[in-house]
Amino acid sequence: MSVNRLLPLFKYHPNPLKTGVFKQDKSVTCSSCLQPTNVYYTTPFYSREDVEFLCPWCIADGSAALKFGGSFQDESSIEGVEAEYDSNGEFARFHNPYSDDQLLTLTERTPGYPGWQQEYWLAHCGDFCSFIGFVGWPEIKNRLDEFADLPGDCANFSMAVQDLEKYLLNNGDCQGYLFRCLNCGKLRLWADMS
């Protein structure tokens, strides 16, 4: 059982207990390793199979994604990764400007986060950002100078910076998702609406 086991470190999601994507309210059996665990994943896993519970260790080592042919982040919802189509207009592959290891670490070995709509993962300085948590205006208003390009981020989700104070509310209808660049340390913001 995982009671005395240290949680694995996730490069792109460093505080999954704080963000709430892992729960610790009961003991369950991991669908991947079939071992009991009191720490389990609660949020998006894209697979053809119905997977009830995953332990952090099966996520971190990639065994859950491998066993179920799934991922924790949709490649079409990652900044910079774009679908390529053949001459008939059929999907051919994803164009990935990042290394294969970076993409596999994010999609197959990193817990995702729940969003109102489709979750979207931001990148900066040639790598994916780490997901810090859920925010509204009160959580970011005194940190505006820490952002890489807040007006650009806001434009990506069709909002002006001056509208954040009015609409962006943690656990509200306009939810913010805060990311930090692993290289320069600057913040990035994504938001979506219920």
Side-chain angles (χ1 to χ4, degrees):
M1 192 158 185
S2 63
V3 172
N4 296 321
R5 207 169 163 192
L6 290 176
L7 285 179
L9 298 175
F10 296 99
K11 176 181 180 180
Y12 300 124
H13 197 148
N15 296 304
L17 286 172
K18 182 179 176 185
T19 63
V21 301
F22 288 139
K23 298 291 184 196
Q24 295 180 294
D25 59 348
K26 61 185 175 182
S27 182
V28 300
T29 299
C30 174
S31 299
S32 180
C33 66
L34 305 177
Q35 296 298 308
T37 180
N38 65 339
V39 182
Y40 59 95
Y41 185 62
T42 63
T43 197
F45 181 62
Y46 303 98
S47 170
R48 290 180 189 212
E49 295 189 44
D50 185 22
V51 178
E52 190 169 8
F53 301 112
L54 293 173
C55 73
W57 302 275
C58 287
I59 295 172
D61 68 11
S63 60
L66 182 64
K67 180 175 183 173
F68 298 110
S71 69
F72 297 93
Q73 183 64 38
D74 182 358
E75 288 178 337
S76 65
S77 296
I78 299 172
E79 187 172 43
V81 177
E82 297 184 16
E84 293 181 355
Y85 299 90
D86 63 19
S87 59
N88 296 322
E90 299 290 322
F91 172 78
R93 67 187 155 280
F94 284 104
H95 169 71
N96 171 29
Y98 311 101
S99 75
D100 289 343
D101 186 57
Q102 288 170 315
L103 188 61
L104 286 175
T105 297
L106 179 64
T107 60
E108 297 181 11
R109 298 189 296 264
T110 299
Y113 69 91
W116 279 122
Q117 307 299 325
Q118 175 64 46
E119 300 78 24
Y120 193 76
W121 209 282
L122 298 177
H124 197 255
C125 292
D127 199 355
F128 304 116
C129 294
S130 63
F131 177 67
I132 303 302
F134 305 94
V135 296
W137 178 251
E139 291 83 15
I140 66 168
K141 68 181 178 181
N142 295 325
R143 304 178 72 185
L144 300 181
D145 61 333
E146 296 180 51
F147 282 87
D149 178 13
L150 189 56
D153 286 347
C154 290
N156 288 333
F157 53 84
S158 304
M159 187 174 286
V161 173
Q162 59 267 27
D163 292 331
L164 292 177
E165 182 176 6
K166 182 177 179 183
Y167 296 109
L168 194 68
L169 181 63
N170 194 13
N171 295 315
D173 290 329
C174 180
Q175 177 65 62
Y177 311 99
L178 189 64
F179 292 84
R180 180 180 301 283
C181 177
L182 293 172
N183 294 304
C184 73
K186 291 287 191 178
L187 298 177
R188 300 278 321 272
L189 181 67
W190 180 254
D192 65 2
M193 291 67 168
S194 63

